[in-house]
DNA sequence: TTCGGTATTATGGTATACCAACATACCAAA
DNA sequence: TTTGGTATGTTGGTATACCATAATACCGAA
């Protein structure tokens, strides 16, 4: 009996708790605009809606607070976070810094496998955007960037970016799909992909910055002109 | 009766919940190394130590998990997060990006009041470091950076940086106080302060990067050579 | 009709109870 | 001594109870 690979028999059972399910369900409800910015999140109502006890709801709210999706104000309990332009601007600024850095690192480190993965993600993304379903466009873009951050070995930055994206999720869906752009969302991604695949860190970083400059400009228009 | 400043009479009473107190107490216990990386955080034990019910403890743990100070593994409950060099490296990388950007923005935006505030914070910091109490050095450095981020109007980035600093808190105290540096911690801060006060964005950003390069190198030494 | 006082309801904060799952201790048999 | 089976203890996950506070409704007096 060869015991060299004992770890192959290890049972890795990670039970999903109600809390985790509640977090995910609420997060999606917020991101998909089922709950809008400023909406009260009343614990007992959420209990009814989710079919769980208040303990679970409260802990889930703590998690979502930490993600910036929920704000708890004194005397009025948790509400869905609102987003104004100054905050959105900050989020785009931070993303620009972190995503450009990750793209550059990815361009330096990526091998042929990563290139293939990135190109596959781009293809899926292009289909999703052309189909015009905002949530699909957003999810496939997230997957595209995940390839980049994973290859860049920046999982902490990726966690931060994901959270920031959660906070601007409605904006993001709109800006990705926006048709009044000089360069479409997918075309921006294609430029990022091309720069990474020719191992051009500076070009990749610049392509990311271009994309985010564009997205931020659209977000600004959406937030300032249609409050 | 002039009602122009009705808001001056507004009572802004924000009650501090047990949860908030528990979060703060636990966070400090982790940051100050009373709990070390890998230590089990057993709920019922924490209840006894903190003198609160399990509800409060559980919600506090959810918050600290979100900050990255606590990790909950399947089947073994929450433990204090450990820190290895790859993760520390990422944290220093992200800080470098965000802090350099904030310093540059601060250098562009700061007026004489901000300069004075920054210089005052630097003076306090220098005293604290010379006194050799690590927690004081850390807190005063945090205050120094808070002036910068506030002036840069980057409160979201500041939240992120604070959290990241929490995760490397023990390292941070050691690197700030480290005496085997070509340029001391306070001297680095003085360079940052000087660049900001002469309104030199590029110089400020570079001074921050120099500081963080130095700190990361020391952290690397500490983590790799003394595991 | 307006206003003040009181009663009622809603809600968040906190404590406690219950249960399932896992870990550990103990004991008897081989 | 080793091993298997059982009992016991520990612990996290979840549900529920209780309480204080704030908000709202209601009613009577001016």
């Amino acid at each position: 009996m060869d015991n060299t690979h004992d770890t192959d028999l290890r049972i890795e059972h990670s039970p999903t708790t109600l809390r985790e399910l509640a977090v995910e369900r609420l997060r999606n409800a917020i991101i998909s605009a089922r709950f809008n910015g400023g909406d009260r999140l009343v614990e007992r109502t959420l209990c009814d809606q989710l079919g769980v006890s208040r303990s679970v709801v409260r802990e889930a709210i703590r998690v979502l607070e930490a993600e910036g999706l929920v704000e708890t104000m004194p005397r009025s309990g948790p509400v869905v976070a609102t987003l104004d332009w100054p905050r959105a601007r900050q989020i785009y600024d931070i993303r620009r810094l972190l995503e450009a850095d990750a793209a550059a690192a990815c361009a330096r480190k990526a091998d042929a496998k990563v290139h293939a993965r990135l190109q596959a993600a781009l293809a899926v993304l292009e289909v999703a955007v052309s189909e015009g379903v905002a949530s699909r466009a957003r999810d496939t873009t997230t997957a595209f960037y995940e390839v980049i951050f994973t290859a860049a070995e920046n999982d902490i930055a990726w966690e931060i970016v994901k959270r920031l994206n959660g906070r601007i999720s409605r904006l993001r869906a709109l800006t990705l799909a926006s048709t009044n752009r000089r360069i479409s969302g997918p075309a921006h991604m294609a430029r990022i992909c091309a720069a990474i695949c020719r191992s051009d860190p500076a070009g990749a970083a610049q392509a990311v910055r271009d994309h985010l400059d564009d997205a931020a400009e659209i977000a600004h228009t959406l937030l300032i002109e249609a409050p």
Side-chain angles (χ1 to χ4, degrees), chain A:
Chain A
M1 175 70 167
D2 182 6
N3 289 329
T4 308
H5 300 293
D6 268 356
T7 57
D8 287 348
L9 295 181
R10 184 176 178 84
I11 296 172
E12 299 280 3
H13 173 53
S14 186
T16 302
T17 61
L18 286 183
R19 179 179 71 235
E20 288 167 336
L21 293 173
V23 166
E24 184 144 350
R25 191 63 60 87
L26 285 176
R27 186 192 287 128
N28 286 338
I30 292 170
I31 286 180
S32 64
R34 174 167 176 168
F35 297 133
N36 295 308
D39 282 0
R40 289 291 321 286
L41 294 175
V42 180
E43 290 175 11
R44 289 173 169 100
T45 305
L46 293 180
C47 292
D48 293 338
Q49 290 174 327
L50 293 171
V52 294
S53 73
R54 275 184 66 205
S55 304
V56 176
V57 167
R58 293 181 63 80
E59 290 187 32
I61 287 176
R62 296 292 85 78
V63 175
L64 295 173
E65 275 175 341
E67 297 187 7
L69 294 180
V70 170
E71 294 173 324
T72 297
M73 308 309 294
R75 289 189 308 256
S76 64
V79 301
V80 176
T82 54
L83 185 68
D84 54 15
W85 167 245
R87 299 202 129 234
R89 188 218 95 230
Q90 286 185 57
I91 287 171
Y92 281 104
D93 288 347
I94 296 166
R95 282 184 61 203
R96 192 179 290 111
L97 291 170
L98 298 183
E99 291 179 17
D101 185 66
C106 182
R108 279 193 292 271
K109 297 184 182 185
D111 58 16
K113 275 195 208 142
V114 172
H115 294 165
R117 230 178 283 143
L118 201 52
Q119 276 153 358
L122 177 64
V124 174
L125 179 160
E126 283 165 337
V127 171
V129 173
S130 68
E131 284 169 355
V133 182
S135 60
R136 273 294 287 166
R138 196 179 53 228
D139 293 346
T140 52
T141 303
T142 299
F144 178 78
Y145 271 102
E146 182 160 18
V147 175
I148 293 174
F149 277 87
T150 303
E153 294 177 289
N154 283 359
D155 54 287
I156 293 178
W158 179 228
E159 284 306 310
I160 291 168
V161 166
K162 276 195 291 185
R163 280 197 189 177
L164 293 176
N165 281 338
R167 291 166 76 168
I168 59 169
S169 50
R170 269 149 293 163
L171 271 189
R172 228 174 132 232
L174 293 176
T175 60
L176 280 172
S178 184
T179 50
N180 60 343
R181 298 170 82 165
R182 293 156 304 176
I183 305 172
S184 73
H188 272 300
M189 305 294 165
R191 292 180 181 210
I192 295 165
C193 183
I196 287 170
C197 291
R198 66 177 184 261
S199 301
D200 174 8
Q206 189 57 49
V208 167
R209 283 191 287 264
D210 292 342
H211 169 221
L212 283 167
D213 288 342
D214 235 13
E217 190 177 322
I218 294 166
H220 178 256
T221 303
L222 291 170
L223 282 172
I224 298 291
E225 297 183 0

